[in-house]
């Protein structure tokens, strides 16, 4: 094969927030698949907050990336060559391709895509983010009609799905988002009952006052995506017996967490809250059920979604850095 493979590797470990010099664009020959393997030409790959943690050399739920290793990502693409049973040239597939133009994966590491929906939905609404919302809301949120749910990063792929699923089950849904545009999206596209711009509030006390006005009956479920001042604002408003599924703490991914643990911990005690950290990969056996239920709804327009697609593999680092600062609108995807 004469084409070159392009990939973005981890050049060094970030100190705080990532910067462009932490990444390296490399070129090389396109790999050949061995027996049982498939060569995929990647058309799009996902960018997700969890990738920031994999750049550190620290113990976590998954192994850290090594220096020089291709940045991790789920991608979608087309089979160029197959030496694995069940896959043929031209098949549309998804798997953990990394930030790369080509990838060789074993057949068992790939899944064929459903032609009823665009391929990129496998990276967002019908991929890991959508599944995260679907599984953790029912298992850890335990929603009941008439309750109030608050979620930050509400127009992201996880938040938007959580809001729509909760709304369909009869809950009052309150979005916290960054900026007027995202608040309007939360209301008009994703159907939230109320939306608050966290950037309009300089501290947790101000944000808490605004939340109290739109949550007159308190908060039963707080879906934790960000940490920071949003967590500080919401916790005193939680109702007795409330639930807090902990999905992420993006405000602290680069360090800088303030020491509010005593205040938060007391709220957990006095409100008898259930706080559940979860890693969605522990629940992957339920993924087929998720696809069976949600694919027809996405194909039929019952579930809204938004994709923020940037053209160019080389734009990955700057797009990733911007995403960690809230610069995306919807699911962040790179078109390779």
């Amino acid at each position: 094969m004469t084409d070159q493979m392009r990939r973005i590797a981890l050049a060094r470990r970030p100190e705080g927030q990532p910067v462009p010099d932490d990444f390296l664009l490399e070129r090389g020959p396109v790999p050949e698949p061995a027996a049982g393997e498939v060569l995929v030409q990647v058309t799009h790959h996902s960018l997700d907050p969890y990738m920031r943690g994999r750049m550190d050399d620290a113990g976590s739920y998954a192994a850290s990336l090594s220096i020089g290793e291709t940045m991790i990502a789920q991608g979608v693409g087309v089979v160029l060559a197959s030496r694995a049973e069940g896959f043929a040239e031209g098949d549309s597939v998804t798997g953990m391709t990394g930030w790369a133009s080509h990838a060789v994966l074993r057949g068992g590491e790939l899944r064929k895509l459903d032609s009823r929906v665009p391929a990129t939905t496998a990276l967002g609404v019908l991929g890991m983010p959508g599944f995260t919302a679907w599984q953790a809301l029912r298992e850890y949120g335990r929603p009941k009609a008439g309750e109030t749910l608050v979620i930050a990063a509400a127009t992201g792929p996880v938040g938007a799905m959580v809001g729509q699923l909760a709304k369909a089950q009869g809950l009052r849904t309150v979005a916290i988002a960054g900026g007027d545009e995202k608040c309007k999206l939360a209301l008009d596209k994703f159907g939230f009952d109320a939306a608050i711009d966290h950037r309009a509030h300089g501290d947790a006390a101000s944000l808490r006052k605004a939340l109290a006005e739109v949550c007159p009956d308190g908060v039963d479920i707080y879906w934790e995506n960000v940490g920071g001042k949003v967590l500080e604002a919401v916790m005193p408003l939680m109702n007795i017996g409330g639930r807090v599924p902990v999905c992420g703490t993006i405000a602290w991914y680069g360090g800088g967490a303030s020491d509010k643990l005593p205040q938060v911990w007391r709220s957990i005690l006095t409100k008898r809250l259930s706080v559940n950290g979860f890693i969605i990969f522990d629940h992957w056996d339920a993924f087929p059920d998720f696809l069976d239920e949600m694919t027809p709804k996405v194909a039929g327009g019952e579930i809204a979604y938004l994709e923020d697609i940037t053209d160019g593999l080389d734009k990955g680092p700057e797009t990733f850095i911007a995403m960690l600062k809230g610069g995306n609108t919807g699911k962040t995807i790179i078109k390779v």
Side-chain angles (χ1 to χ4, degrees), residues 62-85:
S64 299
L65 289 167
S66 300
I67 301 299
E69 187 176 354
T70 303
M71 288 291 297
I72 189 171
Q74 182 185 356
V76 296
V78 179
V79 172
L80 290 182
S82 174
R83 298 187 63 189
E85 185 176 352

Side-chain angles (χ1 to χ4, degrees), residues 2-80:
T2 59
D3 290 342
Q4 279 194 321
M5 173 182 174
R6 294 170 295 126
R7 72 182 187 110
I8 293 180
L10 177 64
R12 65 183 190 185
R13 302 208 183 277
E15 296 181 5
Q17 293 292 344
V19 297
D21 286 345
D22 297 329
F23 305 89
L24 179 65
L25 174 62
E26 295 186 332
R27 291 175 171 84
V30 174
E32 296 281 355
E37 294 181 337
V38 177
L39 172 63
V40 179
Q41 181 168 359
V42 183
T43 60
H44 300 80
H45 75 75
S46 177
L47 291 178
D48 299 284
Y50 79 85
M51 298 170 184
R52 171 61 187 87
R54 302 291 287 275
M55 297 172 76
D56 290 333
D57 187 14
S60 185
Y61 62 89
S64 299
L65 289 167
S66 300
I67 301 299
E69 187 176 354
T70 303
M71 288 291 297
I72 189 171
Q74 182 185 356
V76 296
V78 179
V79 172
L80 290 182

Side-chain angles (χ1 to χ4, degrees), residues 39-242:
L39 172 63
V40 179
Q41 181 168 359
V42 183
T43 60
H44 300 80
H45 75 75
S46 177
L47 291 178
D48 299 284
Y50 79 85
M51 298 170 184
R52 171 61 187 87
R54 302 291 287 275
M55 297 172 76
D56 290 333
D57 187 14
S60 185
Y61 62 89
S64 299
L65 289 167
S66 300
I67 301 299
E69 187 176 354
T70 303
M71 288 291 297
I72 189 171
Q74 182 185 356
V76 296
V78 179
V79 172
L80 290 182
S82 174
R83 298 187 63 189
E85 185 176 352
F87 294 93
E89 183 178 339
D91 285 347
S92 294
V93 295
T94 183
M96 297 303 289
T97 62
W99 299 21
S101 61
H102 299 78
V104 168
L105 297 169
R106 297 198 62 79
E109 298 172 328
L110 289 169
R111 175 171 62 85
K112 290 184 181 180
L113 296 177
D114 195 314
S115 62
R116 291 176 292 174
V117 291
T120 51
T121 59
L123 305 178
V125 66
L126 290 175
M128 182 267 291
F131 177 51
T132 296
W134 180 85
Q135 175 67 17
L137 180 63
R138 64 178 188 164
E139 183 162 345
Y140 302 119
R142 303 187 293 279
K144 305 179 186 67
E147 292 187 327
T148 296
L149 175 143
V150 171
I151 182 166
T155 60
V158 176
M161 178 69 93
V162 169
Q164 291 178 85
L165 293 174
K167 183 70 175 176
Q169 295 179 61
L171 280 76
R172 175 172 175 77
T173 55
V174 177
I176 301 176
D180 289 341
E181 179 186 354
K182 290 184 179 180
C183 286
K184 290 176 182 177
L185 278 172
L187 297 171
D188 299 339
K189 187 174 184 68
F190 299 122
F192 282 84
D193 294 298
I196 294 176
D197 177 7
H198 69 80
R199 293 179 181 172
H201 301 276
D203 56 30
S206 175
L207 181 57
R208 185 180 305 124
K209 181 178 179 181
L211 275 169
E213 292 176 359
V214 297
C215 301
D217 298 322
V219 178
D220 299 291
I221 304 171
Y222 170 51
W223 183 284
E224 174 61 298
N225 270 334
V226 301
K229 74 179 181 186
V230 178
L231 174 64
E232 297 170 29
V234 174
M235 291 300 277
L237 302 178
M238 294 296 299
N239 290 328
I240 291 174

